[in-house]
Amino acid sequence: MLTRRRFVQSILAFAILPKQLLQAKGFLSPNAFQVPPLELGRRSGKDVYFDLDIQSGVSQILPNVSTKTWGINQPFLGVTLRANKGDSIHVNVTNNLHKTTTLHWHGIKLPAKADGGPHQPIKPAQKWLSEFDIIQPAASLWYHSHQMHKTGEQVYQGLAGMFIIDDDISKNLSLPSEYGVDDFPVIIQDKDFNQDGSFKYFSDFRDKLMGKKGETILVNGVISPVLKARKSMIRLRILNGSNARIYHLNFDDKRMFHIIASDGGLLEKPVMAHSIKLAPAERAEILVDISDGKMPILRHKMHMQKSANRMSGMMMMQSIQGKKQEFDIFQIDARSVSTSDKKIPDNLVKHDNPSVRSISKKRVFKLQMQMGPQLMFGAMSGSTDLLKINGKSMNINRIDEVVKAGSVELWEIENTSMMPHPFHIHNVQFKIVTRQSKIKGHELGFKDVVLVRPHETVQVLIKFPQFSDAKTPYMYHCHILEHEDHGMMGQFVVV
Ligand code: C2O
Ligand code: CU
Ligand code: CU
């Protein structure tokens, strides 16, 4: 029989050994960083035509077993779409799944009919044509399924990809911009797997309430990849494509980096940071100087001090349950750097901020979660109205707000619950004007998602584009996809 001491030792040895072995090699894993294929579409002048095929497939994510996945023009996740400001986009989407789905252009200003939300379902074997002009500046946006009550599950299966917009300003700044060479999409997602390799979506009702969090981190569909980069300054376009997990990203060697863009595009000036917090659906572009030829690991880790102070009850529960709170995400191998002298510009762009004086309306949105026995019972019975905004759960036949096209509004989002909610608004890029904590880093830029902390109130200033359509609504919702699917969503029309 094992003595207690031997038992503890053997557990420790087991836990420590693999990591030591890997560190001796200097690699997290033998997995290569995957860059999603770039899709520029067929171009004729300003018209750009994309053909997208939503499909199911099989992917080798785990070493010994394959995983059934969904993707767009590939078996898992979407190809990266790229176009310019001023282009007219025509996307022809074909649904080759056996389930109804949609494709939503997250962060893009466009007519409601082209938005790809729950009002534009694509049935199996059917096509959907989405057409819009790109009227917004360079940015890293994304696209994903937005099927009513099924968004969480479908994004988890792989229906998500990046959409990059370029413009003259972004092209003329001397920023790293060679796709897959010194400019990389980094889609971070967390998954759980069943024994047979398939993705394990709902495990219990807690996932519905807290959002589905997985224990394995994927970057562009790969576990712990190593990125062999050649240039001395690289640009990472990071997308938190997870259903519910919030990441505190920083490098293991504590190196600083420059945040250059938020959800809606370039910041006015680069911001130096050693860590960045990204909630689901948030993006940030960062520049990392790897000219020292080292091998930094990007990881999800809270600072000691912060984690001690801010450890929420929920997190405590999770760590008691043995759930991991910290992960290595991917490693950069910069041993073969070629020197290039990309200087970081002092100034990036000038923002055309909506003025506070032009606010024509203020609206209040209270994010609410039912608590107590009602909540437990409802969650277990699969009820879809546990989560509310202003006392109402999402109803696809109800318009909640009517906004005037071209107007400037102040939206106040109040989180009345005990957990953070990343609030997202379709068709706009807003500025955060007030929040309890300091507005810093990527939050200084244009945003389409804002993380509203427990019991916090955040105000955002929005200028609505000119598109109007009295019948077809846009969505606003919590981007914890299980919250969106279970009622924390509303609809607005712009007229
Ligand atoms: Cu990223 Cu309504 O969605
Ligand atoms: Cu969206
Ligand atoms: Cu939420």
Side-chain angles (χ1 to χ4, degrees):
M1 232 176 75
L2 284 174
T3 62
R4 188 181 143 78
R5 175 133 172 247
R6 290 250 315 276
F7 178 69
V8 170
Q9 275 175 344
S10 65
I11 287 182
L12 283 178
F14 191 75
I16 290 166
L17 194 66
K19 184 118 193 208
Q20 276 175 341
L21 276 176
L22 293 168
Q23 271 168 355
K25 270 170 72 192
F27 285 89
L28 278 167
S29 81
N31 295 338
F33 187 93
Q34 290 294 319
V35 178
L38 188 60
E39 179 60 73
L40 300 173
R42 273 173 295 119
R43 179 175 284 276
S44 132
K46 291 274 176 203
D47 290 293
V48 183
Y49 301 84
F50 291 104
D51 287 313
L52 298 186
D53 168 13
I54 305 182
Q55 54 189 254
S56 60
V58 175
S59 302
Q60 198 70 46
I61 301 169
L62 298 170
N64 300 317
V65 61
S66 55
T67 304
K68 284 193 185 129
T69 50
W70 288 359
I72 300 115
N73 289 12
Q74 58 177 1
F76 184 33
L77 300 173
V79 293
T80 299
L81 308 179
R82 190 161 196 170
N84 299 319
K85 181 177 178 184
D87 284 345
S88 292
I89 307 295
H90 313 262
V91 201
N92 203 350
V93 186
T94 307
N95 179 5
N96 287 309
L97 300 171
H98 297 295
K99 300 267 169 67
T100 300
T101 187
T102 81
L103 270 195
H104 163 60
W105 317 108
H106 179 121
I108 303 191
K109 301 177 181 179
L110 39 60
K113 277 200 166 80
D115 192 41
H119 291 269
Q120 292 85 37
I122 320 167
K123 296 217 175 89
Q126 300 218 321
K127 288 181 186 295
W128 175 61
L129 179 65
S130 173
E131 301 188 291
F132 52 91
D133 294 342
I134 296 183
I135 60 164
Q136 68 201 84
S140 300
L141 307 143
W142 66 303
Y143 61 101
H144 61 78
S145 157
H146 214 302
Q147 177 62 20
M148 191 69 181
H149 302 312
K150 294 278 180 214
T151 300
E153 192 181 323
Q154 297 197 349
V155 171
Y156 205 80
Q157 281 296 118
L159 297 190
M162 223 179 239
F163 195 127
I164 298 175
I165 296 177
D166 298 301
D167 64 14
D168 291 343
I169 300 172
S170 72
K171 284 178 184 166
N172 288 327
L173 286 164
S174 74
L175 296 169
S177 54
E178 236 185 292
Y179 188 82
V181 176
D182 59 8
D183 182 351
F184 304 93
V186 178
I187 304 175
I188 305 174
Q189 297 177 307
D190 54 337
K191 308 284 180 192
D192 281 337
F193 296 87
N194 293 309
Q195 284 287 314
D196 66 357
S198 58
F199 287 134
K200 184 177 179 184
Y201 191 51
F202 282 138
S203 38
D204 62 27
F205 73 93
R206 256 167 304 181
D207 290 336
K208 291 182 193 171
L209 295 174
M210 298 306 167
K212 175 63 188 175
K213 287 183 190 159
E215 302 274 298
T216 302
I217 306 284
L218 307 186
V219 176
N220 300 338
V222 177
I223 299 172
S224 305
V226 177
L227 168 63
K228 296 204 177 185
R230 288 192 283 128
K231 295 277 174 73
S232 60
M233 180 71 76
I234 59 169
R235 177 187 198 160
L236 303 177
R237 299 174 186 260
I238 308 173
L239 157 64
N240 181 349
S242 304
N243 284 30
R245 192 180 287 281
I246 298 167
Y247 298 96
H248 298 256
L249 301 173
N250 50 70
F251 288 97
D252 63 330
D253 61 4
K254 313 216 164 51
R255 72 181 54 212
M256 303 288 278
F257 50 84
H258 303 261
I259 306 171
I260 57 163
S262 59
D263 302 336
L266 292 165
L267 304 178
E268 293 202 309
K269 289 176 192 319
V271 178
M272 284 270 267
H274 59 262
S275 109
I276 183 167
K277 180 170 168 179
L278 286 184
E282 281 192 297
R283 286 89 63 209
E285 294 177 27
I286 67 170
L287 298 182
V288 191
D289 186 353
I290 49 163
S291 58
D292 55 9
K294 297 241 170 75
M295 292 182 288
I297 295 171
L298 184 74
R299 56 186 192 174
H300 160 47
K301 188 179 177 22
M302 275 221 226
H303 297 296
M304 283 310 283
Q305 213 192 343
K306 262 195 200 161
S307 53
N309 295 342
R310 291 215 194 142
M311 187 102 150
S312 64
M314 196 180 91
M315 285 172 57
M316 299 259 216
M317 248 177 60
Q318 286 177 343
S319 53
I320 290 164
Q321 285 168 10
K323 294 217 173 158
K324 271 178 82 177
Q325 297 296 328
E326 291 175 358
F327 300 91
D328 287 346
I329 293 176
F330 78 104
Q331 186 170 31
I332 300 170
D333 177 359
R335 286 174 300 178
S336 61
V337 284
S338 60
T339 41
S340 76
D341 35 34
K342 282 245 158 74
K343 287 251 153 38
I344 298 172
D346 293 332
N347 294 297
L348 297 166
V349 289
K350 203 80 211 97
H351 285 172
D352 183 11
N353 289 322
S355 120
V356 184
R357 265 169 290 132
S358 50
I359 294 174
S360 60
K361 192 165 172 66
K362 180 186 166 187
R363 296 174 205 262
V364 175
F365 298 87
K366 287 190 199 298
L367 310 182
Q368 298 148 331
M369 288 178 87
Q370 259 177 42
M371 292 316 258
Q374 250 176 320
L375 174 128
M376 297 287 258
F377 182 75
M380 285 186 283
S381 67
S383 156
T384 52
D385 60 357
L386 299 166
L387 300 140
K388 296 183 167 150
I389 300 176
N390 291 341
K392 301 171 286 184
S393 281
M394 166 74 176
N395 179 343
I396 198 161
N397 299 313
R398 181 190 70 223
I399 303 294
D400 300 286
E401 309 289 334
V402 180
V403 173
K404 205 163 145 275
S407 66
V408 175
E409 297 199 355
L410 186 75
W411 284 24
E412 182 174 289
I413 307 124
E414 186 190 336
N415 182 355
T416 66
S417 79
M418 283 173 357
M419 68 176 289
H421 300 281
F423 189 78
H424 168 53
I425 311 170
H426 286 208
N427 186 41
V428 300
Q429 290 293 339
F430 53 74
K431 277 289 178 88
I432 303 170
V433 288
T434 14
R435 73 174 314 152
Q436 248 102 305
S437 52
K438 195 170 163 241
I439 302 165
K440 58 177 176 113
H442 64 301
E443 296 200 326
L444 294 163
F446 281 104
K447 301 279 299 153
D448 53 53
V449 183
V450 59
L451 184 66
V452 190
R453 299 182 176 88
H455 302 294
E456 188 186 27
T457 297
V458 172
Q459 291 182 323
V460 302
L461 191 57
I462 316 168
K463 179 159 172 69
F464 288 86
Q466 288 296 346
F467 312 113
S468 67
D469 180 337
K471 291 224 174 73
T472 318
Y474 297 100
M475 307 294 127
Y476 52 84
H477 57 90
C478 174
H479 222 289
I480 291 176
L481 299 181
E482 290 68 34
H483 289 181
E484 172 193 330
D485 283 340
H486 292 92
M488 199 178 272
M489 177 154 71
Q491 312 196 90
F492 68 102
V493 288
V494 180
V495 295

